[in-house]
C-alpha cells in the first residue's frame, strides 16, 4: 500500500541513487589508466586521467546535491530517508577517495617502482572489482522495493553483498603483499617517496573498505 501511495505522490529516489553510483564507478574505473600511465612515466596521460577523474567526481557531486535537494521529506518513502542519505554519503566517499588518490599522484608527480608494478595493478584491479560489485548490489535496490524487501530477491542481494565482502578481503591480502614488496626496496628509494607510496597504498585500500561499506548500508536496508 505504501509503495502505491509513494508512486502516486513522490518521485522515487532509487533511480537517482543508482545513477550516482554508476558515476562513482566511472570515476573509480579511471584509476586503472591513471596507474598505468604513472608506471609508464607518461606524464601527459597521467594528468589527463586525473582531470577526467576530477570532472567525474564533480558530476557525482552534482548528482548527490540534486538527490538531497529533491528527496521528499513528507511523502511516503519505500525505505527510511535517513538510510538512503547514509547510503548516498557512503557512495560519495568512494568518489572523493579516488579524487584524492589522483590528486596525490599528480600533485607529487609520483613514480611507482617497476618492481611492484604488476602487483600494484592487480591490487588496483581488485579494488575496482569491489566497486563494481557494490554498484551491482545498488542496482538491485529498485527490485527490492518492488518486492517489499521480501523473498528470493533479498537472498540474491545478500549473496551479492557476501561476494563484495570476499572481494574486499582479496584487496586486504593484496594490500599487505604490495606493502611487503615496497618494504623490501624502500631503502633504495628517497625516504619522502617511500612515505607517499605507503600513503597511496593505504588510500587505495581504503577505497575497497568504502565499497564494502556501501554493501553494509544495503544490509541495513534489508534488516529493517
Amino acid at each position: 500500500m505504501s509503495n502505491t501511495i509513494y508512486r502516486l505522490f513522490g518521485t522515487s529516489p532509487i533511480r537517482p541513487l543508482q545513477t550516482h553510483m554508476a558515476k562513482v564507478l566511472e570515476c573509480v574505473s579511471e584509476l586503472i589508466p591513471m596507474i598505468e600511465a604513472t608506471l609508464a612515466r607518461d606524464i601527459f596521460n597521467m594528468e589527463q586521467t586525473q582531470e577526467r577523474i576530477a570532472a567525474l567526481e564533480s558530476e557525482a557531486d552534482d548528482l548527490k546535491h540534486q538527490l538531497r535537494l529533491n528527496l521528499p521529506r513528507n511523502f511516503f518513502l519505500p525505505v527510511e530517508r535517513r538510510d538512503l542519505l547514509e547510503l548516498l554519503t557512503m557512495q560519495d566517499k568512494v568518489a572523493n577517495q579516488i579524487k584524492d588518490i589522483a590528486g596525490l599522484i599528480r600533485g607529487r608527480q609520483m613514480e611507482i617502482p617497476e618492481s611492484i608494478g604488476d602487483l600494484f595493478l592487480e591490487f588496483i584491479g581488485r579494488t575496482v572489482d569491489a566497486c563494481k560489485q557494490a554498484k551491482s548490489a545498488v542496482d538491485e535496490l529498485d527490485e527490492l522495493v518492488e518486492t517489499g524487501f521480501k523473498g528470493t530477491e533479498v537472498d540474491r542481494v545478500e549473496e551479492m553483498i557476501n561476494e563484495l565482502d570476499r572481494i574486499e578481503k582479496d584487496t586486504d591480502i593484496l594490500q599487505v603483499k604490495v606493502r611487503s614488496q615496497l618494504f623490501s626496496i624502500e631503502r633504495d628509494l628517497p625516504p619522502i617517496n617511500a612515505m607517499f607510496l605507503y600513503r597511496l597504498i593505504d588510500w587505495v585500500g581504503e577505497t575497497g573498505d568504502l565499497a564494502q561499506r556501501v554493501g553494509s548500508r544495503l544490509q541495513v536496508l534489508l534488516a529493517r
Side-chain angles (χ1 to χ4, degrees):
M1 177 63 176
S2 62
N3 285 352
T4 301
I5 294 172
Y6 185 78
R7 282 193 289 269
L8 288 172
F9 293 103
T11 300
S12 173
I14 303 304
R15 188 66 65 188
L17 189 72
Q18 293 168 333
T19 301
H20 178 266
M21 189 61 200
K23 187 63 65 175
V24 169
L25 181 58
E26 282 187 63
C27 188
V28 174
S29 298
E30 288 292 336
L31 197 54
I32 293 175
M34 181 89 186
I35 297 301
E36 288 174 341
T38 303
L39 283 165
R41 310 288 195 267
D42 185 344
I43 301 299
F44 176 78
N45 277 319
M46 181 268 286
E47 291 179 345
Q48 290 291 303
T49 308
Q50 184 273 330
E51 289 171 10
R52 284 198 302 274
I53 288 172
L56 288 166
E57 191 277 335
S58 180
E59 291 172 19
D61 249 3
D62 289 342
L63 291 168
K64 175 191 68 178
H65 292 312
Q66 290 170 21
L67 180 52
R68 282 178 173 171
L69 286 172
N70 294 308
L71 188 61
R73 292 179 181 274
N74 300 318
F75 297 138
F76 286 95
L77 290 169
V79 292
E80 290 285 342
R81 185 177 191 276
R82 179 189 62 191
D83 291 337
L84 285 177
L85 288 174
E86 288 179 355
L87 177 56
L88 176 64
T89 296
M90 199 54 61
Q91 293 179 181
D92 182 58
K93 286 182 178 181
V94 176
N96 288 343
Q97 185 78 0
I98 298 301
K99 181 187 72 172
D100 290 346
I101 290 170
L104 175 67
I105 293 172
R106 180 175 181 174
R108 291 203 53 82
Q109 297 287 293
M110 291 185 73
E111 295 184 1
I112 299 173
E114 184 178 351
S115 60
I116 70 170
D118 288 344
L119 187 59
F120 199 90
L121 277 173
E122 185 181 355
F123 177 37
I124 294 292
R126 205 60 177 143
T127 300
V128 174
D129 288 343
C131 295
K132 286 180 179 176
Q133 185 68 11
K135 177 189 176 294
S136 294
V138 171
D139 283 346
E140 295 298 314
L141 193 50
D142 49 355
E143 293 294 328
L144 286 168
V145 170
E146 287 297 322
T147 59
F149 289 85
K150 296 176 183 177
T152 58
E153 184 62 24
V154 172
D155 296 336
R156 171 179 164 79
V157 175
E158 284 281 11
E159 179 50 40
M160 294 175 81
I161 294 170
N162 290 338
E163 177 62 17
L164 172 56
D165 290 344
R166 288 189 284 269
I167 295 171
E168 196 277 331
K169 286 178 184 176
D170 288 347
T171 69
D172 286 344
I173 293 168
L174 287 165
Q175 182 177 2
V176 170
K177 289 181 178 179
V178 174
R179 287 180 65 89
S180 178
Q181 279 198 358
L182 177 58
F183 178 75
S184 70
I185 62 168
E186 71 173 26
R187 65 174 59 92
D188 301 322
L189 302 172
I192 193 73
N193 288 12
M195 182 186 76
F196 278 102
L197 281 167
Y198 280 118
R199 179 176 295 183
L200 176 61
I201 292 166
D202 287 345
W203 284 7
V204 173
E206 287 171 15
T207 305
D209 293 341
L210 289 169
Q212 185 184 39
R213 288 178 204 164
V214 171
S216 296
R217 296 314 308 169
L218 279 173
Q219 278 187 314
V220 171
L221 298 181
L222 295 179
R224 289 194 187 277

